[in-house]
Structures are given as structure tokens and as C-alpha cells.
Amino acid sequence: MATVDTATINTPQPAASLEPYRPKNVSLTPAQVSIIKSTVPILAEHGATITTRFYGNMLAAHPELKTVFNLSNMKTGRQPAALAGALYAYAANIDNLGALGPAVELICQRHASLYIRPEQYETVGTYLLAAMKEILGAALTDDVAEAWATAYWQLADICIAKEAELYAKAGEWKGWAPFKIAHKVKESEEITSFYLEPMNASNKPLPDFLPGQYISIRTLVPTLGHIQPRQYSLSDAPNGSSYRVSVKREAGVDPYDPSAATHPGIISNVMHDVRNEGDIVEVSHPYGDFYFDTKSADKDAPVVLLSAGVGLTCLTSILNSLIDEKSDRPISYIHGVRHSDLRAFKAHMQDLAKANPNLKVVLFNKYLKDGEVQGVDYHHSGRLNLDKLSKEDLHVGNPKTQYYVCGPERFMTDIENGLKQIGVAGERIHSEKFGPNTGN
């Protein structure tokens, strides 16, 4: 098996030429597969250093890309770490790319929502390979560099083709579209809903989406002086005339403070404090690989929706869609929150439960406030815990039950593990993965 001389890694060489380069053949040879696999330990140790250098060099040379990438995730290091992890996974599975199918699908959906273009892959590849050369130095021999260039373009071509399919499915909607904030509704102490209506004059219905999917929104950040995109789950059923997103404000951020320009909560605070009814934002076509397809799903299978905090947004879209279709399948809507003032859509959920005997709503409050009544304001105290739920709540006796989970990463991990421990097969558990990836 081919190996890389790691002894030379600590002697970086001058940056490689930034002339775009694409190998004539983007099919890896067996020897190149061996080379890529031999770099797995190197990526484990130096991957984040490589990707940090890559992003720094690329954005310095191409500042226009700052309107594409999430600068908050750049500043915190989450984005370089996510890309380093993706490179590691790619190298480790280079001879079994089928294992990366779900990750590639997620990345392509995110890329499509940001309107990534094929030529941008050339820019990324150029600067990524240059960063490898800078950090790895003489360890990145010509053979290793050629193998990685081939591997990069092999993956890039897969993504470009998949994204072309997604753009084609979007039909006439070819890029960012202006939408007006028609209504702005406070749902809780932290969450505000934005009802977005298109500014086009075609009078055509808005494209439907699969409940659970998201849109990207681009808006100007005053202290940056340019736009930034963010992805928000659609929080209502499709209606043909508007899209609704429900945005959680991250506390402690002043959108007019220059020091907060790359804070992780900057866009949520711009939306809450700067954008008002009548303002225009740019919106993408809906995308996302987390969804419930009400038309193709088993009509009798129970659905259990488990969320924490703002994770309820995409699950509310699923629930509202099922109710609109007058589904009589058993549905459990289970939500956890720190305290009642932070729970969005509480009255809506309770009204739906009263009107639909097939729907059961179960609420968890981590902390209780004076005067709260069990059975009205909450059902269980503490964090959302599967042990406190009955078999009827979770419909564990039905092998067709489908589970949809959204919330903080630790919450989703705990719920997924807990469901598997009580016998739920992994293919029946669906989770929305938020956070940085290689395209956001």
C-alpha cells in the first residue's frame, strides 16, 4: 500500500500555484485509492489546520464568497472543523463511496439552497489543494497531490450533477428571489414567525415543498456591509401564497455592534430587530433531505414528532400538513422547552389536539413557573425523557411507526439512542441535522 512521508509535514513549502487545475482523468486508479487511504491519519491530525488555511486564503483572494459562506461558523472554527471531518470521511471511505451517500445528499441540498455554481468548485479545489501543499509541505508529493486532485474532482462532479438535478426540479425558479415580510408574529419570548410573500408579478402559486424542508434567506448585515445567508426550516404547511419561517433570537447580540458582526446569532437578531413588515429579503427555493412525504408515506403508519426548543419548527410543518390532509393516522407531538414562555405554537397545538382525536400533544417543561398547571401548561417536568412517555405516546407496539426528531445535537443523539434501546429500527428514525457543513 502506498504511504506518505509524514516526517516532512512540519517543513511547509511555499504556497502552490493557484492556477486552476483539473486532472485529465477524474477516475481514481487503484494506486491513487491506496494513496488517499494512506492520508487518513494525516487528515486526522492536520485536517483542521489545512481547512482553516484554505478558508483564510480563499476568502482573502475572493471576498465575494463572503456572501456565500457563514462567517460566524468561520470565526468559531466550526466550518473548518466540519470540512476537515468531511475530508477525513471521504478519504476513509474512498473505496466505498456508497457509505457517504446520505452525507453527499445533505451537502448537495445545502449547496442548492445557496445556489452554488459549478465554477465555484474550481475555486474551492484550487485553494484546498494549495492549502494542503502549504501545511503538508514535502509530504504532499506530486503523486499525492495528483491523487487528491483526482479525488476532489471525482466528488465535485458527483455534487455538480446532483445539484443540476435539484436546480432542474425547481423549474423556473433559478436563483435568489425577492420576498416581502408580509407579517411578523411573536410566538414566544425567543421565537418570531416571518410570513414571506413573493414580489414577482406572475401571480403563480408558490412551489410546494415537502414538510420538514427549509429555505435560505439572504439579508444585509449592517455591520458587515454585505449580505449573509442562513437556512431556516419552513414552519407551516404549504399554502401556495407564502412561506413561514420561525426564527429563534440568540440572546446577547446587538446587530448594530461591529464586534457582533460574526457572532453566531447575528442573523437571528437582524431578523428580529432590524427587519420589519414590508422589508424585502432574498429567498431560495425550498430544499432539504429531512422531510415527511404525506403523499407517498404509509397512510396508516403512526407518526411521532419529538422536538426540543426551536427544533419544533420543521415538525410543526409536518404536523400542520398532516392535519390539512385530514389524516386519521395516530400522531404524537412531543415537545420539550426550558419553560412555558419559550414555547411557540402552544395554543395552536392544544387547539389541534381538541379538534383531532388522533393527535396527542405531550409537553415537557424543564423548569416550572408559579401557577402552572400540570395537564394544561405541561405534562412532565424536566428534560424530554423517553422514560416518562408511555408506549401509547410513542406507539412502540406498531412496527410501522415513523419517528422525526429535531433539536440540539445532544438531544437528537439521546433520543435516537433511546429509541433504538426500546427496539426502534434505525431506518424508522429521521433527524434534522443543523449546523455547518462543507457548503454553508
Side-chain angles (χ1 to χ4, degrees):
M1 179 175 178
T3 59
V4 174
D5 180 9
T6 58
T8 60
I9 287 178
N10 292 323
T11 57
Q13 306 299 305
S17 169
L18 297 190
E19 288 296 318
Y21 173 68
R22 177 173 179 141
K24 292 180 181 179
N25 182 6
V26 292
S27 295
L28 286 163
T29 67
Q32 288 176 323
V33 169
S34 294
I35 289 173
I36 296 297
K37 290 186 76 69
S38 76
T39 64
V40 170
I42 296 172
L43 291 173
E45 183 175 356
H46 300 281
T49 304
I50 292 169
T51 55
T52 299
R53 182 70 58 87
F54 151 69
Y55 280 121
N57 289 347
M58 183 178 68
L59 293 178
H62 293 274
E64 72 277 6
L65 293 177
K66 291 180 180 179
T67 65
V68 176
F69 290 96
N70 182 327
L71 298 186
S72 298
N73 287 333
M74 295 293 182
K75 184 177 178 64
T76 62
R78 293 182 68 199
Q79 183 64 46
L83 178 54
L87 290 174
Y88 176 90
Y90 183 44
N93 292 278
I94 197 67
D95 52 358
N96 181 28
L97 294 183
L100 299 177
V104 171
E105 178 70 23
L106 183 150
I107 289 169
C108 291
Q109 294 280 346
R110 298 287 176 93
H111 282 186
S113 80
L114 296 168
Y115 295 105
I116 299 298
R117 303 186 304 274
E119 61 267 26
Q120 289 172 323
Y121 279 93
E122 186 173 272
T123 302
V124 168
T126 298
Y127 282 88
L128 180 59
L129 292 168
M132 285 183 166
K133 185 64 176 177
E134 284 188 57
I135 301 304
L136 301 182
L140 194 78
T141 64
D142 290 345
D143 286 346
V144 177
E146 184 74 8
W148 262 105
T150 304
Y152 171 80
W153 276 107
Q154 174 179 270
L155 180 59
D157 284 344
I158 292 171
C159 291
I160 290 169
K162 175 62 181 178
E163 288 152 27
E165 291 178 10
L166 294 173
Y167 295 143
K169 288 179 180 178
E172 296 179 3
W173 191 332
K174 299 299 184 185
W176 296 99
F179 274 61
K180 178 179 71 175
I181 300 174
H183 303 289
K184 185 176 176 181
V185 179
K186 187 173 181 178
E187 308 287 4
S188 73
E189 283 188 356
E190 293 181 332
I191 296 174
T192 291
S193 287
F194 296 83
Y195 291 77
L196 307 173
E197 295 180 351
M199 296 295 292
N200 64 52
S202 68
N203 293 320
K204 292 182 179 180
L206 277 176
D208 278 347
F209 55 90
L210 293 169
Q213 290 187 310
Y214 55 79
I215 56 174
S216 287
I217 292 177
R218 288 203 312 186
T219 189
L220 177 70
V221 179
T223 52
L224 283 175
H226 62 72
I227 55 178
Q228 272 277 273
R230 291 295 186 274
Q231 284 141 347
Y232 294 108
S233 296
L234 292 154
S235 62
D236 203 355
N239 60 38
S241 61
S242 66
Y243 291 146
R244 184 179 78 178
V245 296
S246 302
V247 180
K248 176 188 174 185
R249 179 209 297 271
E250 299 297 330
V253 184
D254 179 356
Y256 293 101
D257 180 356
S259 68
T262 54
H263 187 283
I266 185 63
I267 300 299
S268 70
N269 279 270
V270 168
M271 292 296 291
H272 276 249
D273 294 341
V274 181
R275 298 290 163 254
N276 296 305
E277 291 182 355
D279 287 350
I280 306 300
V281 294
E282 293 180 300
V283 172
S284 77
H285 188 280
Y287 289 102
D289 63 338
F290 173 86
Y291 55 81
F292 182 86
D293 189 344
T294 58
K295 294 181 173 59
S296 64
D298 186 326
K299 302 299 183 184
D300 298 321
V303 174
V304 178
L305 308 172
L306 297 131
S307 63
V310 74
L312 58 73
T313 53
C314 52
L315 303 192
T316 299
S317 175
I318 294 174
L319 175 61
N320 288 354
S321 298
L322 289 168
I323 296 299
D324 281 0
E325 294 195 358
K326 303 187 185 306
S327 171
D328 58 1
R329 73 174 74 233
I331 306 169
S332 288
Y333 178 92
I334 304 167
H335 181 245
V337 74
R338 296 197 305 279
H339 58 78
S340 290
D341 292 343
L342 304 180
R343 176 171 284 114
F345 311 127
K346 175 185 171 184
H348 173 67
M349 297 305 163
Q350 291 174 329
D351 289 344
L352 289 182
K354 291 176 183 177
N356 297 273
N358 59 314
L359 170 63
K360 184 171 186 179
V361 173
V362 184
L363 306 178
F364 283 75
N365 283 16
K366 186 175 182 180
Y367 305 109
L368 301 181
K369 300 179 67 177
D370 290 344
E372 290 190 318
V373 178
Q374 189 171 19
V376 178
D377 301 295
Y378 71 99
H379 300 95
H380 301 283
S381 61
R383 293 179 69 237
L384 197 161
N385 188 328
L386 297 182
D387 292 339
K388 295 183 179 180
L389 295 166
S390 69
K391 291 183 178 181
E392 290 73 25
D393 293 333
L394 293 172
H395 300 285
V396 292
N398 190 323
K400 295 199 258 183
T401 303
Q402 298 293 315
Y403 300 83
Y404 290 80
V405 186
C406 190
E409 185 174 351
R410 179 187 167 191
F411 166 81
M412 290 194 294
T413 299
D414 289 347
I415 295 298
E416 288 179 41
N417 290 339
L419 289 172
K420 290 176 181 177
Q421 288 173 7
I422 60 175
V424 177
E427 61 267 21
R428 293 194 284 126
I429 305 171
H430 315 276
S431 299
E432 172 65 299
K433 307 297 184 187
F434 287 129
N437 58 75
T438 55
N440 183 16

